[in-house]
Amino acid sequence: MLAPLQTGAARFSSYLLSRARKVLGSHLFSPCGVPEFCSISTRKLAAHGFGASMAAMVPFPPQRYHYFLVLDFEATCDKPQIHPQEIIEFPILKLNGRTMEIESTFHMYVQPVVHPQLTPFCTEKVSPRDSTYLIWRAGVMLTGIIQAMVDGQPSLQQVLERVDEWMAKEGLLDPNVKSIFVTCGDWDLKVMLPGQCQYLGLPVADYFKQWINLKKVSDPEGLVEQAYSFAMGCWPKNGLLDMNKGLSLQHIGRPHSGIDDCKNIANIMKTLAYQGFIFKQTSKPF
């Protein structure tokens, strides 16, 4: 029975390749017969009912960076918003640009110094069915971080020093290694970190001044669009929750836990990479 099974598998592979040629055109195939897929070809294959089969056979396109550094802050908050906001959770995931797998983690909680006591609004837990649970960054989203998690922790200045040590240890400061931060939105590195550093009189390292906003990535055709919207045809009003739902991904951990959000961002990036996305810098030079 082995020979007939092998013959059948070969015929099926030949059938997939033949159909792919008809859908995509022979110009997308190299002389050796290996398909050079981009996001358009992936979507065309999926539309003809065998995208998943071909995706399992073909790796995603090479990325422009050796490493992606996924970051998502949590900060002090109240209603109305307190000033200044201070970072209280500082997580980074080092994502290999070739495999899109997590290689290393930096994760620290931070002691706020201007308002060292977290507000009840900041520490209160809410139900996922609460309408305010889906509102974030505007000062009405709760972090779930309690006072004991930040008491006695290093200050932001100390945490930034440890980030630099971690970056050096991971080889990310090597000029021959291309890495870039990735966030879900521009708030973390355009508003929160530079704003707090300015308030405290701290310098901002140059590596924090370039990033990829997951909500605004460049697809292989060079069009700058909202990543999820481009892939799924709708805008994710509720951020990562909607992205995971639209991509049929299981949400990891608790929404708006910094480290859990980083894991969800990494998972979404991996999924989009397999769809053909090539991630490019979206931030403008400072």
Side-chain angles (χ1 to χ4, degrees):
M1 292 296 292
L2 182 59
L5 284 174
Q6 290 175 332
T7 301
R11 286 177 178 172
F12 180 67
S13 297
S14 177
Y15 168 73
L16 284 178
L17 188 58
S18 175
R19 286 198 62 193
R21 286 179 182 275
K22 291 179 181 179
V23 174
L24 302 175
S26 59
H27 65 283
L28 290 177
F29 290 80
S30 66
C32 64
V34 179
E36 299 170 353
F37 282 99
C38 65
S39 63
I40 296 177
S41 61
T42 303
R43 289 194 296 274
K44 284 185 177 180
L45 286 169
H48 283 73
F50 57 93
S53 299
M54 292 302 294
M57 299 167 60
V58 182
F60 55 78
Q63 297 293 328
R64 295 186 169 195
Y65 296 91
H66 296 111
Y67 296 101
F68 297 106
L69 306 177
V70 181
L71 176 148
D72 189 274
F73 295 139
E74 297 301 322
T76 53
C77 55
D78 203 355
K79 190 177 181 181
Q81 187 58 271
I82 59 176
H83 179 77
Q85 276 191 282
E86 298 175 83
I87 295 169
I88 53 178
E89 185 180 4
F90 203 126
I92 307 172
L93 297 182
K94 179 187 176 188
L95 199 65
N96 187 302
R98 182 177 58 84
T99 65
M100 301 305 284
E101 298 292 343
I102 298 168
E103 286 194 354
S104 182
T105 301
F106 178 93
H107 184 216
M108 294 190 71
Y109 289 101
V110 188
Q111 171 73 62
V113 296
V114 181
H115 301 287
Q117 193 70 29
L118 301 183
T119 64
F121 179 84
C122 184
T123 59
E124 182 184 354
K125 295 182 179 180
V126 294
S127 165
R129 292 185 173 83
D130 190 324
S131 61
T132 63
Y133 188 75
L134 300 178
I135 305 174
W136 165 241
R137 303 301 193 209
V140 294
M141 183 60 209
L142 312 182
T143 67
I145 297 173
I146 62 174
Q147 188 68 40
M149 296 167 72
V150 300
D151 282 343
Q153 297 300 314
S155 65
L156 179 63
Q157 180 177 0
Q158 294 170 319
V159 170
L160 289 174
E161 291 171 355
R162 296 189 188 183
V163 168
D164 202 67
E165 293 171 358
W166 178 79
M167 295 276 288
K169 178 183 175 183
E170 295 295 326
L172 297 168
L173 301 184
D174 184 334
N176 295 316
V177 175
K178 294 185 65 177
S179 64
I180 190 168
F181 280 90
V182 181
T183 59
C184 187
D186 289 322
W187 177 84
D188 302 83
L189 294 178
K190 186 176 183 179
V191 177
M192 187 61 239
L193 182 62
Q196 187 178 358
C197 285
Q198 181 180 25
Y199 186 92
L200 297 174
L202 301 175
V204 179
D206 286 342
Y207 47 70
F208 285 125
K209 297 179 181 179
Q210 300 175 21
W211 67 90
I212 295 169
N213 176 356
L214 185 63
K215 294 181 178 180
K216 189 184 292 181
V217 304
S218 297
D219 69 272
E221 300 172 81
L223 303 175
V224 178
E225 298 192 39
Q226 199 277 346
Y228 176 89
S229 178
F230 181 75
M232 305 304 296
C234 62
W235 182 268
K237 295 180 180 179
N238 299 317
L240 293 176
L241 293 172
D242 274 359
M243 287 185 183
N244 278 326
K245 182 178 179 181
L247 294 170
S248 299
L249 298 175
Q250 183 69 37
H251 193 89
I252 300 169
R254 180 182 61 80
H256 305 304
S257 155
I259 189 63
D260 289 344
D261 280 355
C262 285
K263 293 175 183 177
N264 283 289
I265 291 170
N267 204 24
I268 290 168
M269 287 186 69
K270 184 175 182 179
T271 302
L272 291 175
Y274 273 105
Q275 291 185 6
F277 277 94
I278 298 174
F279 295 94
K280 304 174 186 177
Q281 178 179 333
T282 61
S283 64
K284 296 180 179 179
F286 273 52

